[in-house]
Each structure stands twice: as C-alpha cells, then as structure tokens.
Amino acid sequence: MKRTSWTVSSWVLALLLTLPIMALIYEALLPTEDVFRHLWGSVLPTYISNTFRLVVGVMLFSFLAGVPAAWLMAMCELPSKRYLQWALILPLAMPSYIVAFVYTDLLDFSGPVQSTLRHWFGWQSASDYYFPAIRTLGGAALVLGLVLFPYVYLLARTAFMEQSLSLVQSSRLLGCSPWQSFKRISLPLARPAIVVGLSLVAMETLAEFGTVNFFAVNTLTTAVYDTWLGYGSLNAAAKISAIMLLVVMLLLSLERMSRKRQQVFQKSLGQEQHSGYVLTGLTKWCALVFCWSLVLLGFLLPFVILCYHAIRYFDKAWNSRFFEYSLNSLLLSSVVAGLALMVALVLAMSHRLTGKTYTQIPKRLASMGYALPGAVLAIGVLVPLTSLDFAINDAALWLGLAEPGLVFTGTMAAIAFGYLVRFGAMAIGSVESSLGKVSPSLDMVSQTMGYRPSAIMMKVHVPLIRKGILAGVLLVFIECMKELPAALLLRPFNFQTLATYVYQFVSDEQLELGALPAIVIVLVGLIPLIFLNRSLEQTH
C-alpha cells in the first residue's frame, strides 16, 4: 500500500468516526418538531436545572474528598499509606447504579439502618423521626461523588508529588503549619490539575444515566432517553443532545485552558526525595478515618454486599442467561477492541509515513467521540443508520425485492459502531504514544531493505509496541463491557449485555439476582486501575 493510500484510508476512517457528530448537529438544526416545543415549554427547563445542580454537587463532593486525600497521600506519612494510595482508586471500578441500589437498600425506610434505629429508640413510623431521603438529587450527587472523586484524587496527587520540594521546605523554615503550606503553596500550584479532574467529573456526571434514572432525578441524559424511546422523536432527542454537546465542548475548553496554565505553574525538579509530614495523635487518626471511609463507602461496602448476594443467590444467578449475556458482552467487546486496534494502527502509520502536521488531523477527528456522553452518542449513531436502513428498504422495494428490515439499527452493527466511535480514542492514544518512542531510523533501514509500509508495520512496529497495543485493546475491551447508556439505546431487540442485564435487576430492585454479573463487571474494571497504579509507582 502506497503512502497516498494510507493517507486516504486515515481520512476515510476519521470521517466515518465523526459521522455521528455531524449527523447529530444536522438533525438538531432541522425545523423544530412539536415534541421539542412541548418539552421546552414544560419540563426541559427543570431538567436543565437538575443537571446543573447535580453536576455542581458532584464536583463539590469530589473536590472535598479528592483533594485532601491526594494531599495526605502525597505530602504526609501515615500508617497503611502504601495500601491507601491505590485503594483510593478502587471506586472507579464500581458502576454508580450498583452503588446507588446498595445505599438505597441500606438507607430506605424498610432498610436495615432505619429498621435498627426504630428498634433501638422505639419509633413507630417515619413521622416519629427525621432521616434524609436517599432517592433525591442530593442522594444522587453523593453516590456519584463516591464513585467519581478518584478522578480528582489521581490528578491532584500527581500534581502534589511533582511540586518542587524546595518550596515546601521553604514554607517549613518560615514557620508554616501543614495546613498553611497546603493553602498557600500546594493548592495554588495544583489548581490547574484539580480543574482538569473536576472537568472529567463534570463530563462523567453529565453522561450518567443509571443512577439518576434509578433515583427518578430527571436530567438531560434521561430526557434524551425518554424522548427517543417514549416519544419516538429523533429530532427532539437530537436537539437535547446538542445542548449536552455544547456543555461538553465548554468543559473541554476549560480543561485545555487549565492544561496550558499547568505548564506555567508546574515546577518540579524530578529527582527530589520528599520527606512527608509525620502526622501524630488525633490528626493522624482523623486522616486515616477520612481516607479509609472513602474506600469503605465507595468500594468495599458495595463490593462486600455484592459478594454476599452472589453467594446467597448463586443457584439462581448461575443460569443460561448469565452465560448468554456474558458471551454477548465478550463477543461485542472483542470485536470493537479489534476494530479499534486496526483503526489506531492505520491512523498512526499514516502520520508516521508522511510526518506532515496535517496528518495529525484524522487522529484528532477520530478521537472526538470519546468526549460524548453515551446517550448523546447513541442518538448521533441512530440518525445516519436509521436513514441508511430506510434507504436500503426503499431501494429493495423499488427493485421488487423483499425488504431486508433493519440491517444496521436492528443488529449488533449499531452498538458496535457506537462503541467504536466512543472508545476508539483509547486505542489511538495508546498506539500513538508507543509508536512515538520507536526510532525513525528503523523505518529508513526497513525501506532500504525493500519492505513496503504494511510489512514495516507488521514486522517492525507491532512487535516493538506490543505493550502499548495490549494496553489500548484492554482499555477499549473493558469500557465496552461497562458501557450502559449507549447499550440501552443501541442494542437490538432481545440482545442483552452484562451491563444492561445488571441494570434490569437494579431497575426492578432485585440486585441480589444480578450480583454475580455485577461482580464480573467490577473485577474487569479493576484491570486498568492496577495498570494505572503501577505506572504511577514507577513514575514516582
């Protein structure tokens, strides 16, 4: 394959992966239907208000939980710190809707917590005492904060560890307490990284569907879902999705601005060995209780309850449906991971062959889908594929042939394409990073030996970047296993993944029957966290 062919292929793939975004914008710009006018004049302002309040609440909790935990792990010496610094990452592996059900089951009126309180104090009904309701917007913010605060923790901890030790030592010499040093030096220097983490939290909250739907908190994500499945209006769903797309673009712009500022403020000498503050007495115990409480509430307690239900209801959960849906998830995730690898290799190789700046554009275009919430992406996929299905059936009817039906939207093709658009960026980034470390001289030597570009890629590049390839494929595979909103909207009839299977039990308040597949999802989600923690330990 000549260099021109590689370039053309990269542009074709990039345009294909950006097709849902372009289709979404096109559909949103079409004349407004009555459904959207009705929603805008009735419930949509409430949905926007709920979304804003939820995002702010989750960001606030994530800041109050993630930043202190990051500073304690980076700047202080504590017992069990070796285990705490990676245990604080674990909540990321726990799907939020599972955590939501666990705490609803624990804290509802009929749950063990309130039942125990009534037994202890002799209360007879809810009117005899006050207990905060969990199925509220505040409860949803708390649950999402427990799951998402590690984004802020990870980035803030890295920023604190990379700060110049001389500044911290100078503050000590000037008589600053640990709190004063944190407020005056560490926090301002880490502010750009914290803003990036909060931006990620905001985007994940904006994309959340399972928890808010279970708690009956109406947000823009649930509006997209209900508008398409309830009203059947693709136009109205596209317009609501376009509103969310604007919010995501605003958050991404804020994140990029913070990253530029971080290049100015970040000041690390790299080789410094940090001797942390040694906490003692009450301060030490308060720090330990704070950090371990986050681990307990965000991961350990839900995971233990899942294990209890999985063991107790093992005979009912271990059935043919569990194996069928596990196979569906395995097959779908494997196909998407393989396709994502092929796309990543073509895009990376195209830039490698030419070395021109403009060949970076296809990679950036193909990576845009990762920023889209799952529900928004699903609408973007449905717009062109639905039109394509109608066109195929109309053509068959015109030719006098039998109508083939829903060739794309009625098969696994739609959900696979949606996953590829959203998670392909992971494989692209991983392959690009690894390929950038391979010396260009190897390409020159291979060309002098008569190897064509495809042979150079397979015989030289792929063996050298196999670790990066494995990391990218694993990340795509795992994210596909966990994805819920896009799966709910794009899956064909009678097709379930493990995520939708678990959510079905959660919606019916029967998580005990879905505990076994939920554990599978959690354990799969732990894999990238283990890789991430090892990379952080090797870096620092």
Side-chain angles (χ1 to χ4, degrees):
M1 185 184 294
K2 298 180 179 180
R3 296 186 180 186
T4 304
S5 301
W6 286 93
T7 303
V8 171
S9 299
S10 67
W11 278 100
V12 170
L13 289 174
L15 293 176
L16 181 64
L17 294 181
T18 54
L19 179 61
I21 301 176
M22 294 186 290
L24 178 66
I25 296 174
Y26 172 78
E27 183 70 27
L29 293 176
L30 291 177
T32 303
E33 295 180 353
D34 292 338
V35 172
F36 183 77
R37 292 193 187 95
H38 169 70
L39 292 174
W40 184 260
S42 55
V43 297
L44 203 54
T46 303
Y47 287 10
I48 294 174
S49 174
N50 287 345
T51 303
F52 176 77
R53 291 160 56 201
L54 181 66
V55 169
V56 171
V58 178
M59 290 174 65
L60 180 61
F61 181 91
S62 299
F63 176 83
L64 296 177
V67 173
W71 189 80
L72 289 170
M73 293 298 102
M75 296 291 187
C76 301
E77 296 298 329
L78 287 170
S80 69
K81 174 183 173 179
R82 178 182 177 185
Y83 305 102
L84 257 178
Q85 60 187 6
W86 63 263
L88 284 164
I89 311 175
L90 295 178
L92 282 178
M94 187 67 65
S96 59
Y97 55 90
I98 294 177
V99 179
F101 180 85
V102 167
Y103 283 111
T104 299
D105 192 48
L106 286 175
L107 302 177
D108 258 354
F109 178 79
S110 58
V113 174
Q114 292 199 52
S115 298
T116 302
L117 290 175
R118 290 195 298 271
H119 176 73
W120 283 353
F121 297 102
W123 295 325
Q124 300 299 320
S125 65
S127 61
D128 296 335
Y129 64 99
Y130 170 76
F131 196 88
I134 184 66
R135 290 199 184 194
T136 59
L137 190 146
L142 178 62
V143 168
L144 290 173
L146 284 172
V147 174
L148 297 177
F149 82 87
Y151 283 116
V152 177
Y153 161 76
L154 278 170
L155 291 170
R157 175 189 163 202
T158 302
F160 289 142
M161 294 177 71
E162 291 177 346
Q163 289 174 5
S164 176
L165 181 58
S166 60
L167 295 176
V168 179
Q169 292 173 336
S170 298
S171 68
R172 289 183 179 182
L173 293 175
L174 292 173
C176 287
S177 65
W179 164 248
Q180 291 172 326
S181 176
F182 167 76
K183 185 174 72 171
R184 297 179 181 179
I185 298 176
S186 298
L187 185 59
L189 289 174
R191 185 165 49 204
I194 293 172
V195 171
V196 174
L198 291 175
S199 300
L200 292 174
V201 169
M203 286 190 287
E204 290 292 333
T205 304
L206 191 66
E208 177 59 35
F209 173 77
T211 300
V212 294
N213 188 57
F214 181 66
F215 279 2
V217 176
N218 293 317
T219 64
L220 288 175
T221 304
T222 59
V224 171
Y225 186 84
D226 293 339
T227 302
W228 170 236
L229 294 185
Y231 294 97
S233 175
L234 198 57
N235 178 266
K239 291 184 182 298
I240 299 173
S241 299
I243 296 174
M244 298 178 67
L245 183 60
L246 289 175
V247 176
V248 170
M249 291 174 62
L250 177 63
L251 292 170
L252 287 175
S253 300
L254 180 64
E255 186 267 343
R256 289 193 179 96
M257 289 173 58
S258 300
R259 193 184 304 170
K260 291 180 180 179
R261 293 180 62 194
Q262 190 173 18
Q263 294 175 355
V264 177
F265 289 117
Q266 199 63 44
K267 189 78 174 177
S268 175
L269 298 181
Q271 301 298 323
E272 297 172 335
Q273 295 296 322
H274 183 267
S275 56
Y277 297 107
V278 180
L279 302 184
T280 58
L282 182 61
T283 306
K284 177 185 72 174
W285 288 109
C286 288
L288 286 173
V289 169
F290 173 75
C291 292
W292 278 112
S293 295
L294 292 175
V295 178
L296 175 66
L297 297 176
F299 180 80
L300 291 178
L301 180 60
F303 187 72
V304 169
I305 292 176
L306 283 180
C307 292
Y308 169 76
H309 287 318
I311 294 172
R312 184 177 180 184
Y313 294 91
F314 181 81
D315 292 339
K316 295 182 179 180
W318 190 263
N319 53 39
S320 59
R321 289 186 300 170
F322 170 69
F323 289 106
E324 178 187 350
Y325 302 151
S326 298
L327 183 61
N328 287 345
S329 293
L330 179 64
L331 176 61
L332 177 62
S333 302
S334 300
V335 169
V336 175
L339 292 174
L341 175 59
M342 293 172 59
V343 170
L345 288 174
V346 171
L347 294 176
M349 192 64 184
S350 172
H351 175 66
R352 180 86 174 188
L353 289 172
T354 60
K356 303 295 184 181
T357 305
Y358 69 85
T359 56
Q360 291 275 21
I361 298 177
K363 288 190 292 185
R364 301 296 168 255
L365 290 175
S367 301
M368 289 174 58
Y370 185 62
L372 295 181
V376 174
L377 175 66
I379 298 301
V381 170
L382 286 172
V383 170
L385 293 189
T386 301
S387 300
L388 188 58
D389 275 341
F390 282 138
I392 292 174
N393 283 272
D394 290 342
L397 192 62
W398 182 76
L399 293 172
L401 302 175
E403 297 182 45
L406 302 177
V407 178
F408 294 101
T409 56
T411 64
M412 205 173 71
I415 189 171
F417 179 54
Y419 281 7
L420 179 62
V421 172
R422 182 149 196 240
F423 303 124
M426 294 181 170
I428 294 171
S430 183
V431 170
E432 180 183 8
S433 176
S434 298
L435 196 58
K437 299 175 184 178
V438 178
S439 174
S441 61
L442 293 176
D443 297 28
M444 300 176 188
V445 172
S446 301
Q447 289 175 0
T448 59
M449 296 178 64
Y451 283 109
R452 303 179 66 181
S454 57
I456 296 174
M457 182 182 70
M458 297 305 300
K459 296 184 178 181
V460 179
H461 294 154
V462 170
L464 291 175
I465 64 171
R466 59 183 181 276
K467 289 185 178 180
I469 289 175
L470 177 62
V473 168
L474 276 178
L475 286 173
V476 174
F477 179 87
I478 291 163
E479 288 300 321
C480 291
M481 291 282 290
K482 294 166 56 178
E483 175 63 23
L484 176 65
L488 288 172
L489 288 171
L490 294 176
R491 63 189 172 124
F493 296 111
N494 298 322
F495 183 89
Q496 293 265 30
T497 65
L498 280 180
T500 60
Y501 184 48
V502 172
Y503 183 71
Q504 176 182 318
F505 286 115
V506 170
S507 301
D508 296 337
E509 300 191 14
Q510 294 180 324
L511 181 61
E512 58 274 6
L513 299 179
L516 183 62
I519 289 177
V520 174
I521 295 175
V522 172
L523 293 179
V524 169
L526 288 175
I527 297 175
L529 298 182
I530 295 172
F531 277 109
L532 178 60
N533 184 67
R534 286 184 177 179
S535 64
L536 286 175
E537 290 180 346
Q538 292 172 359
T539 304
H540 303 289

